[in-house]
Amino acid sequence: VSTQSTWDIKLENKGMNEFIAILLSFCLSYHGYYKQTLSLSGAIAAFFAGTSALISGLEYSVALLTFYGSSSFLTKLGANKKKLMEEGFKKCGKRDAFQVVCTGGLGTLLGMLVIIFPNMNSALLSTLRLCYVSQFCVVCGDTWASELGTAFGGQARLITTFRKVPSGTNGGVTFLGICASFLGGSFVALCTHLSINYNNSAPIFPTWYLAIFLGGLFGFFGSLIDSVLGATLQQSLYSVEAAKIVKSFVDPSVKVISGIDFLSNCQINLISSFLLSGIVGGAQLAYFSQKKANLIIKFTI
């Protein structure tokens, strides 16, 4: 059974399919720029990421668009409250090229591999598909946790010491944020699974409830990795005078409340998605290797 996804509307002309994918990607990128959820550089980066996903197949597109749509909405949710807590927060929630690459760069790379090597063996292709979806489960779960936890989660606690910290602190977690990370990952995995069933493609997850469970785990553990890195390798500054998280020493009352100034938020997003997807991909390949070994043993006995 082929693991390549097929569009519901099939065009015999492959060039026409690619043209439609490019056109749709351009429209979506322009929409993000027009609605001020993407900066100009972010729109350009999103165009390439979207084109890669749309040409690769329906499930790739759904995973990307599910993350983009939900995260853009949640960034604006509770914007006024977030503005009071964090310096530099903008209601429009614009994402620049670097942010787009750090959140979707791995997915774009995996999608390009599927396009460049369409005849790769089924085990490797299945692994790439799972890694692609898990990557967007991670970034979506982390975004849901951050946006909902900051705005509505109440008192945050630093994940490494559990001491109370201001909302918006890197590595600060809330119960709502933890639940949101699981839900965000589940949302991406479930939407992807349903799109595959609709398109009659080989499934990534055996059942819808396993898609919810595993997608949730991807989102949860990805967010957990992100929080630990944020609490230790990303510096958080708090202004007593302004009573909010700030990005620099803007006044004499600013103090360091956690972490060291080593990684940025975008770099941490990139590292956490690579780590989780790498673990998932390694586990998938190990499963296929063991399955193949068992078959060899069975036929030789």
Side-chain angles (χ1 to χ4, degrees):
V1 179
S2 172
T3 54
Q4 285 278 50
S5 64
T6 56
W7 292 92
D8 185 47
I9 300 176
K10 298 178 181 178
L11 300 176
E12 294 182 359
N13 189 331
K14 184 180 178 182
M16 182 61 71
N17 279 328
E18 294 173 350
F19 172 75
I20 291 175
I22 292 171
L23 182 62
L24 284 174
S25 184
F26 174 79
C27 292
L28 291 170
S29 300
Y30 178 77
H31 179 266
Y33 176 72
Y34 178 77
K35 290 293 185 180
Q36 297 189 340
T37 56
L38 292 170
S39 67
L40 178 59
S41 65
I44 294 172
F47 167 76
F48 288 104
T51 300
S52 170
L54 289 165
I55 293 177
S56 299
L58 182 59
E59 65 264 37
Y60 301 88
S61 307
V62 169
L64 172 63
L65 294 176
T66 301
F67 159 68
Y68 170 70
S70 64
S71 62
S72 296
F73 171 75
L74 291 179
T75 297
K76 296 182 178 182
L77 197 64
N80 292 333
K81 188 173 182 180
K82 295 173 192 173
K83 190 175 181 180
L84 295 175
M85 296 176 178
E86 298 179 55
E87 179 194 40
F89 176 83
K90 295 181 180 180
K91 187 175 181 179
C92 62
K94 283 186 179 180
R95 294 177 180 270
D96 59 24
F98 187 60
Q99 290 174 303
V100 172
V101 169
C102 286
T103 54
L106 175 59
T108 302
L109 176 62
L110 294 174
M112 289 300 297
L113 289 175
V114 172
I115 295 170
I116 296 170
F117 304 105
N119 298 318
M120 69 177 71
N121 69 72
S122 60
L124 184 56
L125 182 56
S126 295
T127 301
L128 288 181
R129 293 171 80 214
L130 181 61
C131 287
Y132 185 96
V133 175
S134 68
Q135 191 258 334
F136 281 105
C137 288
V138 169
V139 294
C140 192
D142 181 62
T143 300
W144 282 36
S146 177
E147 300 298 342
L148 292 176
T150 299
F152 310 108
Q155 179 63 60
R157 291 182 178 274
L158 197 66
I159 193 169
T160 51
T161 63
F162 297 104
R163 65 180 172 87
K164 294 180 180 180
V165 290
S167 293
T169 301
N170 298 312
V173 297
T174 63
F175 178 73
L176 176 62
I178 292 172
C179 293
S181 69
F182 187 92
L183 292 175
S186 296
F187 184 60
V188 170
L190 179 61
C191 289
T192 305
H193 179 76
L194 294 177
S195 73
I196 291 173
N197 282 349
Y198 172 77
N199 209 41
N200 295 320
S201 301
I204 296 176
F205 304 100
T207 61
W208 64 267
Y209 49 86
L210 269 178
I212 292 176
F213 178 69
L214 291 176
L217 288 182
F218 297 157
F220 169 76
F221 282 109
S223 182
L224 187 67
I225 293 171
D226 189 282
S227 295
V228 171
L229 292 175
T232 55
L233 300 178
Q234 185 180 8
Q235 192 175 74
S236 291
L237 303 175
Y238 181 76
S239 170
V240 177
E241 184 179 315
K244 66 169 64 174
I245 297 294
V246 294
K247 298 183 181 298
S248 59
F249 292 90
V250 294
D251 62 67
S253 69
V254 173
K255 59 181 180 180
V256 177
I257 55 175
S258 67
I260 60 173
D261 189 13
F262 184 67
L263 295 175
S264 69
N265 187 61
C266 290
Q267 290 169 332
I268 287 176
N269 288 338
L270 183 64
I271 292 171
S272 60
S273 62
F274 260 90
L275 280 175
L276 199 286
S277 295
I279 292 170
V280 170
Q284 176 85 330
L285 288 175
Y287 166 76
F288 280 121
S289 297
Q290 185 61 44
K291 188 176 180 181
K292 184 177 180 180
N294 290 338
L295 285 174
I296 293 173
I297 294 172
K298 181 178 179 181
F299 283 110
T300 55
I301 293 177

